[in-house]
């Protein structure tokens, strides 16, 4: 289409109106057919209209006679246009703007209001681009796979998120948090070229389903239990001690987050309070000291490269009479192999945990998703590392 003809409609007296851009081609023009690599004559035309980005405050539409050409074999095919995807009623620029608004944090409904479209229209645009990108863009072989669950709705509904810890992107999503969910995510990953048998390391929490799934579906992977999950378990043990002591001591009320925060993040005043309360309440003081020492061991693990310090910590903790500490020790012993693997390779589920926070933000911005497929589409849109061709 080598001839452009512009026509502007009349504006209303209030200053609002519509700009119409008409695109046409010269009589006798021939179009190239990529399949046969030949110039083909026009058989007939189809009138098409596309919604374009606003021109100042005015709605803007592109109109064109789209040619249908006769191919060398006698069949007829409609030619594509440069400004829109096949089958779309929006220009590429309009779709790019809509997607950018959502990418930068706006909800589907908010983006819809900005471009004067229903939120479902914006959702369908994003879905089309995500589906196309996933089909066209193959994954590099995932070597370090993070597996974590994320809550999606009330009533204990979850998604299992599989992520490439090195390249920082989501590579698979499964419904639920059982073995089947991991398998579903792996099938998605493999459909895009990354093989489960090629995964060298898998980081998980202590979920029996995830542990079993790695053993069964990712047999070549060395399983590593996430250090942050261990620290969370120990923090819960500390908080249980606080609750037990608090029932008899009003001084411990409203101190929960003092005990759970890392010591180096406390202000001098908060550190002094922790020191005072630890003397007054030796049980919570003991649990807190063990928690801080445990974290230091993992912080320095990448420098020392030895698990001996953790073994020494376990000997100290074994002398504790606190039930929750003994329960935590039992959890360490029963998952010892995956814990020692951390000290060899230092891989964690930190990126998977970061994804969890971002995914929860996606849900909050949308105020929830009634359709799980739409939720998964948004996860890939924002966290899948996909490239969208909108020009």
């Amino acid at each position: 289409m080598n001839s452009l003809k512009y026509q502007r409609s009349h504006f209303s007296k209030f200053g609002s109106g519509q700009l119409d851009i008409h695109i046409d081609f010269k009589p006798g023009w021939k179009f190239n057919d990529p399949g046969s690599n030949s110039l083909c004559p026009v058989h007939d035309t189809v009138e098409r209209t596309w919604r374009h980005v606003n021109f100042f405050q005015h709605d803007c539409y592109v109109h064109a006679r789209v040619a249908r050409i006769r191919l060398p074999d006698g069949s007829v095919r409609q030619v594509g246009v440069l400004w829109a995807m096949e089958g779309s009623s929006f220009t590429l620029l309009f779709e790019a703007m809509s997607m950018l608004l959502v990418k930068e944090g706006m909800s589907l409904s908010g983006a819809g209001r900005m471009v004067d479209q229903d939120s479902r229209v914006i959702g369908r645009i994003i879905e089309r681009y995500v589906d196309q990108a996933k089909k066209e863009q193959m994954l590099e072989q995932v070597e370090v796979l993070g597996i974590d669950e994320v809550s999606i709705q009330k009533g204990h509904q979850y998604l299992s998120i599989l992520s490439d810890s090195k390249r920082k992107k989501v590579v698979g999503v499964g419904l639920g948090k059982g073995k089947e969910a991991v398998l579903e995510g792996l099938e998605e990953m493999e459909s895009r070229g990354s093989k489960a048998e090629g995964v060298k390391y898998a980081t998980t929490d202590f979920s029996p389903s995830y542990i079993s799934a790695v053993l069964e579906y990712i047999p070549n992977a060395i399983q590593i239990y996430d250090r942050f999950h261990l620290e969370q378990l120990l923090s819960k043990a500390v908080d249980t001690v606080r609750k037990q002591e608090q029932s008899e001591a009003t001084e411990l009320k409203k101190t929960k987050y003092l005990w759970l925060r890392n010591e180096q993040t406390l202000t001098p005043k908060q550190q002094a309070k922790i020191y005072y309360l630890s003397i007054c309440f030796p049980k919570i003081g003991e649990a807190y000291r063990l928690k801080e020492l445990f974290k230091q061991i993992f912080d320095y693990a990448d420098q020392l490269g030895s698990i001996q310090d953790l073994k020494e910590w376990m000997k100290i903790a074994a002398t504790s009479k606190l039930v929750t500490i003994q329960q935590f020790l039992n959890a360490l012993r029963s998952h010892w192999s995956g814990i020692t693997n951390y000290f060899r390779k230092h891989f964690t589920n930190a990126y998977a945990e970061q994804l969890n926070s971002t995914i929860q933000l996606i849900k909050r911005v949308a105020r929830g998703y009634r359709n799980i497929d739409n939720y998964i589409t948004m996860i890939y849109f924002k966290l899948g590392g996909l490239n969208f061709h909108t020009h």
Side-chain angles (χ1 to χ4, degrees):
M1 294 187 176
N2 64 341
S3 175
L4 302 181
K5 181 173 64 177
Y6 298 91
Q7 175 183 322
R8 187 181 70 178
S9 68
H10 295 290
F11 297 117
S12 74
K13 62 182 179 180
F14 297 108
S16 62
Q18 177 175 309
L19 173 65
D20 296 284
I21 302 174
H22 293 265
I23 304 176
D24 208 344
F25 58 92
K26 291 180 179 180
W29 190 262
K30 292 185 178 183
F31 294 85
N32 183 61
D33 171 46
S36 61
N37 195 27
S38 59
L39 291 175
C40 301
V42 175
H43 175 71
D44 59 13
T45 60
V46 179
E47 294 287 343
R48 291 287 309 278
T49 298
W50 296 265
R51 180 71 161 86
H52 191 44
V53 295
N54 283 7
F55 182 78
F56 292 96
Q57 76 272 32
H58 309 301
D59 293 345
C60 185
Y61 292 86
V62 175
H63 309 270
R65 289 192 311 132
V66 180
R68 296 204 312 152
I69 57 176
R70 183 170 296 280
L71 305 181
D73 62 4
S75 60
V76 175
R77 182 182 68 81
Q78 183 173 300
V79 300
V81 297
L82 299 177
W83 55 87
M85 287 184 66
E86 183 178 354
S88 176
S89 56
F90 303 97
T91 65
L92 293 172
L93 190 56
F94 181 93
E95 293 178 336
M97 176 176 286
S98 301
M99 293 169 64
L100 180 62
L101 292 173
V102 178
K103 193 80 170 179
E104 293 300 316
M106 194 172 286
S107 66
L108 294 179
S109 57
R113 286 192 294 269
M114 287 291 292
V115 297
D116 195 25
Q117 294 292 325
D118 189 275
S119 62
R120 290 169 294 185
V121 172
I122 308 302
R124 285 194 292 270
I125 290 174
I126 292 174
E127 181 181 12
R128 186 172 70 251
Y129 276 89
V130 168
D131 289 345
Q132 180 177 328
K134 286 169 63 180
K135 289 176 183 177
E136 295 178 351
Q137 297 168 28
M138 292 294 100
L139 292 170
E140 306 90 339
Q141 178 59 52
V142 177
E143 294 184 354
V144 184
L145 184 69
I147 305 174
D148 197 18
E149 81 273 0
V150 58
S151 172
I152 54 176
Q153 289 179 351
K154 293 181 180 179
H156 304 290
Q157 295 190 43
Y158 296 87
L159 290 176
S160 290
I161 309 296
L162 278 60
S163 57
D164 185 332
S165 299
K166 282 190 172 182
R167 298 181 180 89
K168 309 298 184 188
K169 61 184 178 183
V170 172
V171 296
V173 179
L175 184 60
K177 58 175 182 176
K179 283 175 57 178
E180 298 78 10
V182 176
L183 180 59
E184 183 181 350
L186 287 172
E187 289 173 344
E188 176 77 19
M189 185 182 83
E190 291 200 318
S191 71
R192 297 180 58 205
S194 180
K195 301 302 181 183
E197 57 263 29
V199 176
K200 296 180 179 179
Y201 306 97
T203 61
T204 71
D205 56 20
F206 285 173
S207 163
S209 297
Y210 288 169
I211 294 171
S212 178
V214 171
L215 291 173
E216 185 171 347
Y217 304 133
I218 321 176
N220 297 330
I222 294 174
Q223 191 156 35
I224 300 174
Y225 296 124
D226 178 42
R227 64 163 287 189
F228 297 107
H229 177 68
L230 299 177
E231 291 173 9
Q232 286 174 359
L233 285 179
L234 185 52
S235 291
K236 288 180 181 179
V238 172
D239 195 47
T240 299
V241 175
R242 178 195 62 81
K243 290 177 181 177
Q244 293 168 349
E245 296 250 84
Q246 183 179 296
S247 62
E248 301 176 0
T250 56
E251 294 96 326
L252 291 174
K253 289 184 177 180
K254 298 182 180 180
T255 64
K256 174 180 178 178
Y257 295 104
L258 281 180
W259 303 106
L260 298 185
R261 286 177 58 183
N262 298 328
E263 186 176 20
Q264 62 267 30
T265 66
L266 298 175
T267 66
K269 183 178 180 180
Q270 290 171 329
Q271 290 177 347
K273 186 172 184 178
I274 284 285
Y275 179 75
Y276 168 76
L277 291 174
S278 295
I279 295 175
C280 295
F281 306 96
K283 289 183 179 179
I284 183 64
E286 177 187 359
Y288 178 76
R289 286 191 296 273
L290 286 171
K291 175 183 79 77
E292 286 300 302
L293 181 57
F294 185 84
K295 182 181 182 302
Q296 289 176 20
I297 290 170
F298 277 86
D299 285 344
Y300 296 127
D302 57 343
Q303 300 174 22
L304 301 177
S306 171
I307 200 170
Q308 188 59 39
D309 287 337
L310 180 59
K311 291 180 179 178
E312 293 299 322
W313 181 91
M314 293 176 70
K315 289 179 182 178
I316 297 172
T319 64
S320 173
K321 296 182 180 180
L322 298 173
V323 174
T324 57
I325 296 299
Q326 296 306 315
Q327 291 172 340
F328 178 73
L329 279 174
N330 290 335
L332 291 186
R333 296 186 186 107
S334 60
H335 297 85
W336 188 245
S337 175
I339 294 171
T340 58
N341 287 335
Y342 170 79
F343 283 80
R344 297 188 183 97
K345 295 298 178 181
H346 312 302
F347 294 129
T348 75
N349 240 16
Y351 179 65
E353 294 291 340
Q354 178 184 330
L355 284 177
N356 197 321
S357 300
T358 307
I359 291 170
Q360 293 296 346
L361 178 60
I362 292 172
K363 184 173 67 173
R364 286 197 296 273
V365 169
R367 297 181 181 176
Y369 282 87
R370 294 187 181 91
N371 188 307
I372 300 301
D373 291 334
N374 293 343
Y375 194 11
I376 294 174
T377 294
M378 290 302 299
I379 291 172
Y380 276 113
F381 177 62
K382 293 204 170 187
L383 301 168
L386 301 170
N387 297 315
F388 302 108
H389 305 295
T390 54
H391 58 276

